[in-house]
């Protein structure tokens, strides 16, 4: 028999005993002449017995099961075509070897010329070059217009020491001053001719400048 059934049987027995005692008391009250109403009230209070059943203890509900997430969907790997066609085989035709180039002997070295017997020299002026063109040679028109300037020149000197040609290398800005420069230098200049490596006179050149300035009275 379970514990709950045993407890209920004990309560019933106790209730029966109490009811029997009440009947005895009631009978005694009637005998002794107690008031009916007092007995009735006592019976009403005593006979009303609440018998409460012991409710079985409720066990707590089990915890809810955790829902596990479904595994991710994995796409199948792409199919790989393993059978690859082999690369085409190219046949290389090796040309025959070329014949070796002909061996060309280097040219014989040219012998250096013998050193000169004399040190070459350029043409050198005789006298003072300032006397080749003076204020008396000033062009009259340039003098009237009061034009001044410097003319650069280069002359070619022959083996006899005389000027064979004259060129203006820098102009004075006036053509008549430039012409007067070359005209007077060609007419008056004298040179010691240039000398070659054998000590013989040869052609040479000479360069200089003439400054044209109006004379002051």
């Amino acid at each position: 028999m379970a514990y709950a059934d045993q407890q209920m049987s004990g309560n019933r027995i106790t209730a029966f005993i109490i009811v029997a005692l009440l009947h005895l008391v009631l009978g005694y009250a009637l005998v002794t002449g107690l008031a009916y109403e007092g007995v009735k009230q006592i019976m009403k209070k005593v006979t009303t017995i609440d018998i409460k059943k012991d409710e079985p203890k409720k066990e707590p509900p089990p915890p809810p099961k955790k829902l596990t997430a479904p595994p991710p969907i994995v796409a199948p790997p792409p199919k790989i075509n393993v059978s690859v066609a082999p690369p085409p085989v190219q046949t290389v035709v090796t040309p025959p070897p070329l014949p070796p180039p002909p061996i060309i002997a280097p040219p014989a070295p040219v012998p250096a010329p013998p050193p000169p017997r004399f040190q070459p020299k350029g043409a050198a002026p005789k006298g003072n070059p300032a006397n080749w063109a003076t204020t008396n040679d000033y062009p009259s028109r340039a003098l009237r217009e009061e034009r001044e300037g410097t003319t650069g020149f280069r002359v070619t000197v022959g083996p006899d020491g005389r000027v064979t040609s004259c060129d203006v290398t820098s102009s004075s800005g006036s053509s008549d001053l430039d012409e007067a420069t070359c005209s007077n230098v060609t007419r008056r200049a004298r040179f010691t001719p240039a000398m070659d490596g054998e000590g013989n006179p040869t052609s040479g050149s000479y360069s200089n400048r003439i400054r044209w300035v109006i004379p002051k009275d």
Side-chain angles (χ1 to χ4, degrees):
M1 183 181 294
Y3 173 76
D5 296 338
Q6 292 178 0
Q7 190 174 5
M8 289 180 64
S9 298
N11 292 335
R12 288 180 182 179
I13 294 171
T14 303
F16 291 151
I17 294 170
I18 294 172
V19 171
L21 291 174
L22 289 175
H23 280 84
L24 291 175
V25 172
L26 181 60
Y28 179 75
L30 290 175
V31 174
T32 56
L34 294 176
Y36 175 73
E37 289 295 328
V39 174
K40 189 176 179 180
Q41 291 294 330
I42 294 171
M43 288 292 292
K44 188 175 182 180
K45 290 181 180 181
V46 174
T47 55
T48 306
I49 298 173
D50 294 333
I51 300 173
K52 295 182 179 180
K53 288 186 178 181
D54 293 335
E55 295 181 358
K57 295 181 179 180
K58 295 182 180 180
E59 296 181 357
K65 295 182 179 180
K66 294 183 179 179
L67 299 176
T68 57
I73 300 174
V74 180
K79 294 182 179 180
I80 300 174
N81 188 8
V82 180
S83 58
V84 180
V89 179
Q90 296 181 356
T91 304
V92 179
V93 179
T94 304
L98 298 176
I103 299 174
I104 301 175
V110 179
R117 295 172 56 189
F118 298 93
Q119 182 66 30
K121 295 180 181 181
K126 293 181 178 180
N128 187 3
N131 297 326
W132 296 345
T134 64
T135 55
N136 295 328
D137 302 318
Y138 215 105
S140 57
R141 183 176 178 180
L143 188 60
R144 288 195 306 270
E145 295 176 357
E146 298 182 352
R147 287 186 280 110
E148 297 179 341
T150 301
T151 302
F153 66 91
R154 182 179 61 246
V155 294
T156 302
V157 181
D160 58 353
R162 292 180 176 272
V163 175
T164 58
S165 64
C166 177
D167 296 317
V168 175
T169 56
S170 59
S171 175
S172 62
S174 300
S175 59
D176 51 356
L177 294 179
D178 296 340
E179 292 176 1
T181 298
C182 276
S183 175
N184 286 283
V185 169
T186 302
R187 181 165 53 89
R188 294 178 180 162
R190 296 293 181 268
F191 293 88
T192 300
M195 303 293 290
D196 59 14
E198 296 296 328
N200 300 320
T202 185
S203 297
S205 62
Y206 175 81
S207 298
N208 205 337
R209 294 181 302 172
I210 290 182
R211 182 180 180 185
W212 296 93
V213 180
I214 296 175
K216 301 298 181 180
D217 295 336

